[in-house]
């Protein structure tokens, strides 16, 4: 009952933010979202989980307070509370930065890897996907006002997301940096083509869902534990590099589609240097996905592992969601022309 209530609260908070055209209601939806996920994060009374929950609560509270202050300032300066009408540059910049802190865009990203590292994989998945929806809906409605800020945030996020993940051995931190980089790509294209942003968000959700479920099935939270996955699920281990390389954006996998469309649109807008920098930063991310793939499929784990090898009991986890999301992660690239036609129509 408690879990159902909390998940209902999560859904209600996000839906409320989606449906609101008034800043106060949007803020209330974001607060409900934050308060509903906090018990989910702290449910395992582990010091790391409690620490992660505290860090998450403090950053989200700071972002929400800034958002509320900015929307009150906006109402004071312009005399109305409409989300679409945030015309004054000062509150709209403050709101953009508050929402960037909420989703973890660089340079306001420092909390995300730390928080994700302290959570279990299921709550981590909710944090990486569902929790991004409500702030994103607000950024989408705000977007025309401050173009330079969005491009700076986007480029910094793609670079930080690539650099930060290079020397990590913990899978959850790697996924956090991967999240920062993907969000950077979305923010980069936001003002030119909101539809491509939504497509990127959707493909990122599908790919992240697959990755988290794979790690959950293997019960692995660091690179060493991945090396033992051959003996537990050989077929899945053979497919996992495709999922990881799809996250990295290699053709002919699904993850290439949003990057291709984003680079094409940026070039059309006369931002070739920005597109080049973004494409080079994708190489950084690709390195650590390749590192994970290498550890998983091309290394035989040593017998004297530091951690205990998990018992090979039959998994109780349902594999249907994993099968569906893996298929979508690997095979959706041929649909690009029809998706492009849908986006432009």
């Amino acid at each position: 009952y408690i879990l159902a209530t909390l998940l209902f609260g999560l859904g209600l908070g996000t839906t409320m933010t989606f449906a609101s055209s008034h800043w106060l209601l949007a803020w209330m939806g974001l607060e409900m979202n934050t308060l509903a996920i906090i018990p989910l994060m702290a449910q395992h009374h582990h010091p790391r989980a409690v620490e992660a929950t505290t860090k998450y609560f403090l950053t989200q509270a700071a972002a929400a307070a800034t958002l509320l202050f900015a929307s009150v300032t906006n109402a004071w300066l312009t005399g109305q509370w409409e989300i679409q009408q945030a015309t004054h540059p000062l509150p709209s910049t403050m709101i953009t930065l508050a929402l960037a802190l909420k989703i973890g865009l660089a340079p306001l990203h420092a909390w995300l890897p730390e928080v994700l590292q302290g959570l279990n994989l299921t709550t981590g998945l909710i944090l990486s996907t569902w929790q991004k929806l409500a702030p994103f809906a607000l950024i989408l409605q705000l977007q025309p006002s401050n173009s330079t800020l969005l491009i700076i945030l986007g480029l910094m996020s793609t670079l930080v997301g690539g650099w930060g993940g290079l020397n990590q051995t913990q899978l959850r931190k790697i996924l956090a940096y991967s999240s920062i980089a993907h969000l950077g790509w979305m923010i980069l294209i936001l003002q030119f083509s909101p539809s491509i942003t939504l497509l990127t968000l959707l493909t990122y959700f599908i790919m992240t869902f697959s990755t988290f479920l794979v790690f959950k099935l293997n019960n692995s939270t660091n690179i060493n534990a991945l090396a033992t996955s051959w003996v537990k699920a050989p077929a899945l281990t053979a497919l996992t590099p495709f999922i990881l390389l799809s996250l990295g954006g290699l053709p002919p996998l699904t993850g290439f589609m949003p990057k291709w469309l984003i680079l094409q649109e940026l070039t059309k807008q006369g931002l070739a240097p920005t597109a080049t920098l973004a494409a080079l930063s994708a190489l950084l991310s690709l390195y650590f996905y390749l590192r994970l793939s290498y550890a998983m499929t091309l290394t035989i784990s040593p017998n004297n592992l530091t951690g205990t090898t998990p018992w090979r009991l039959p998994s109780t986890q349902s594999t249907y969601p994993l099968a569906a999301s893996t298929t979508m992660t690997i095979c959706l690239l041929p649909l690009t022309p029809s998706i492009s036609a849908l986006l432009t129509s």
Side-chain angles (χ1 to χ4, degrees), residues 248-271:
L250 275 195
L253 305 162
T254 306
F256 177 59
M257 172 172 48
K259 289 201 162 91
W260 171 23
L261 292 172
I262 287 173
L263 292 175
Q264 187 182 353
E265 186 62 37
L266 284 174
T267 316
K268 273 187 202 166
Q269 299 290 341
L271 292 169

Side-chain angles (χ1 to χ4, degrees), residues 25-318:
L25 273 174
W27 169 81
M28 206 186 299
L30 290 171
E31 282 297 278
M32 283 172 67
N33 229 343
T34 305
L35 294 175
I37 201 174
I38 278 174
L40 289 175
M41 295 167 111
Q43 62 184 337
H44 304 285
H45 297 293
H46 189 277
R48 282 308 305 264
V50 175
E51 181 193 339
T53 312
T54 313
K55 284 177 178 170
Y56 182 74
F57 174 72
L58 291 173
T59 49
Q60 297 298 308
T66 312
L67 181 74
L68 189 61
F69 175 64
S71 49
V72 171
T73 311
N74 182 56
W76 178 51
L77 290 169
T78 61
Q80 42 77 33
W81 285 88
E82 281 287 309
I83 291 179
Q84 304 275 1
Q85 308 293 329
T87 47
H88 200 283
L90 175 69
S92 82
T93 305
M94 279 174 67
I95 289 168
T96 308
L97 288 172
L99 292 169
L101 175 58
K102 270 221 174 277
I103 55 176
L105 283 171
L108 308 161
H109 66 285
W111 61 272
L112 186 58
E114 294 298 320
V115 167
L116 211 54
Q117 180 56 30
L119 305 179
N120 67 353
L121 288 166
T122 317
T123 321
L125 174 61
I126 296 174
L127 182 71
S128 299
T129 54
W130 187 260
Q131 292 297 89
K132 309 278 188 227
L133 281 172
F136 234 92
L138 293 176
I139 294 179
L140 269 169
Q141 293 178 63
L142 254 185
Q143 41 97 8
S145 52
N146 34 22
S147 51
T148 322
L149 177 66
L150 288 181
I151 288 181
I152 291 169
L153 283 173
L155 274 179
M156 278 194 74
S157 299
T158 53
L159 288 165
V160 166
W163 260 314
L166 288 182
N167 59 350
Q168 299 294 338
T169 56
Q170 298 292 331
L171 298 179
R172 286 166 294 187
K173 279 197 174 174
I174 287 179
L175 284 170
Y177 281 110
S178 144
S179 170
I180 294 165
H182 277 91
L183 288 167
W185 280 87
M186 293 172 217
I187 292 294
L188 210 51
I189 197 66
L190 187 67
Q191 56 200 319
F192 306 116
S193 175
S195 47
I196 293 182
T197 296
L198 287 174
L199 171 71
T200 314
L201 189 63
L202 192 64
T203 48
Y204 162 70
F205 279 6
I206 293 168
M207 296 185 295
T208 307
F209 188 70
S210 304
T211 316
F212 268 100
L213 287 187
V214 168
F215 293 160
K216 189 165 178 281
L217 196 73
N218 284 325
N219 196 18
S220 47
T221 52
N222 61 12
I223 292 185
N224 279 349
L226 277 184
T228 62
S229 59
W230 261 126
V231 286
K232 285 188 282 182
L236 183 63
T237 308
L239 281 173
T240 307
F242 290 112
I243 297 174
L244 292 167
L245 295 178
S246 185
L247 263 173
L250 275 195
L253 305 162
T254 306
F256 177 59
M257 172 172 48
K259 289 201 162 91
W260 171 23
L261 292 172
I262 287 173
L263 292 175
Q264 187 182 353
E265 186 62 37
L266 284 174
T267 316
K268 273 187 202 166
Q269 299 290 341
L271 292 169
T274 310
T276 311
L277 201 55
L280 289 174
S281 73
L283 289 175
L284 293 168
S285 302
L286 189 61
Y287 171 78
F288 58 80
Y289 297 126
L290 277 170
R291 190 162 153 237
L292 289 183
S293 308
Y294 174 77
M296 202 159 182
T297 53
L298 298 173
T299 52
I300 296 172
S301 87
N303 294 328
N304 54 349
L305 261 185
T306 45
T308 53
T309 310
W311 289 99
R312 290 180 212 164
L313 296 170
S315 173
T316 53
Q317 188 183 324
S318 167

